[in-house]
């Protein structure tokens, strides 16, 4: 951890094996490959608060889960789980729930819904339009504390946007 002005910068070793031995990927600035285990990761990361605060400005203006391709992949995951395990009677926590599209898919299949998102905008959108039975929480997995115990905890296209992916996985567990 170091400070540049008032901005905190966190430098991480490999999330998988802990090695600090790494080589840069020529194709992508700031992305490295671990020389011990081959895991591809970003060693220089922003703080959790910076990641949460940047979501609305980085993605909130253009990205939406309502795009047909994004909607299709979320529906696919909901269907896949439903066919193999069934949503009926299960409790779900989606970490990084965005606009709540996946939550809606699981809800119509019978799941009890809980979502967590760092974006104030997304949090407000879901709270305004979702059924009152949804448990919606604002914050990051690292900052929110224990929300509860769930049958299913998912991170769909979310883990790569966290400051410490192993910590997020431990929180989810």
């Amino acid at each position: 951890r170091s400070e540049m002005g008032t901005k905190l910068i966190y430098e991480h070793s490999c999330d998988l094996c802990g090695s600090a031995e790494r080589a840069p990927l020529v194709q992508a600035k700031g992305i490295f490959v671990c020389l011990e285990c081959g895991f591809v990761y970003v060693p220089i990361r922003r703080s959790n608060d910076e990641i949460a605060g940047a979501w609305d400005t980085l993605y909130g203006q253009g990205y939406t889960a309502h795009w047909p391709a994004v909607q299709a992949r979320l529906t696919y995951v909901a269907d896949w789980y439903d066919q193999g395990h069934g949503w009926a009677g299960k409790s779900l926590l989606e970490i990084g729930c965005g606009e709540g599209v996946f939550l809606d898919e699981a809800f119509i299949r019978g799941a009890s819904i809980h979502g967590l998102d760092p974006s104030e905008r997304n949090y407000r959108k879901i709270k305004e339009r979702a059924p009152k039975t949804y448990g919606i929480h604002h914050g990051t997995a690292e900052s929110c504390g224990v929300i509860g115990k769930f049958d299913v905890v998912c991170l769909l296209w979310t883990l790569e946007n966290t400051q410490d992916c192993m910590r997020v996985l431990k929180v989810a567990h």
Side-chain angles (χ1 to χ4, degrees):
R1 177 181 152 178
S2 65
E3 289 191 43
M4 295 181 70
T6 58
K7 185 176 180 179
L8 291 177
I9 302 295
Y10 294 84
E11 185 166 339
H12 291 262
S13 297
C14 175
D15 295 288
L16 199 55
C17 75
S19 173
E21 299 297 317
R22 61 183 182 247
L25 289 182
V26 180
Q27 306 87 340
K29 183 180 178 184
I31 300 176
F32 289 73
V33 62
C34 175
L35 295 176
E36 293 293 320
C37 72
F39 186 69
V40 176
Y41 69 104
V42 176
I44 308 297
R45 303 177 197 166
R46 299 168 290 162
S47 71
N48 290 319
D49 290 339
E50 289 174 296
I51 292 168
W55 184 259
D56 287 333
T57 55
L58 291 176
Y59 300 102
Q61 300 302 318
Y63 175 86
T64 177
H66 296 287
W67 287 345
V70 177
Q71 177 81 44
R73 73 182 184 198
L74 295 171
T75 301
Y76 171 79
V77 172
D79 281 344
W80 173 85
Y81 187 87
D82 200 28
Q83 290 171 15
H85 307 282
W87 284 113
K90 300 245 174 69
S91 59
L92 163 69
L93 170 64
E94 183 184 7
I95 297 173
C97 64
E99 297 165 293
V101 172
F102 184 74
L103 296 177
D104 295 340
E105 292 291 333
F107 179 74
I108 63 174
R109 290 165 176 80
S112 168
I113 301 303
H114 296 267
L116 172 66
D117 201 83
S119 165
E120 178 70 30
R121 179 184 297 141
N122 287 341
Y123 169 75
R124 277 188 273 116
K125 274 185 182 179
I126 296 173
K127 288 296 276 186
E128 289 170 5
R129 65 146 189 86
K132 299 297 180 207
T133 57
Y134 280 27
I136 304 301
H137 309 274
H138 179 246
T140 65
E142 301 93 334
S143 68
C144 70
V146 175
I147 294 174
K149 186 173 178 160
F150 303 92
D151 298 312
V152 179
V153 177
C154 65
L155 296 105
L156 303 172
W157 300 277
T158 296
L159 195 56
E160 70 278 8
N161 293 307
T162 65
Q163 197 262 336
D164 184 343
C165 63
M166 294 306 285
R167 183 170 171 214
V168 170
L169 290 173
K170 288 176 183 174
V171 169
H173 181 261

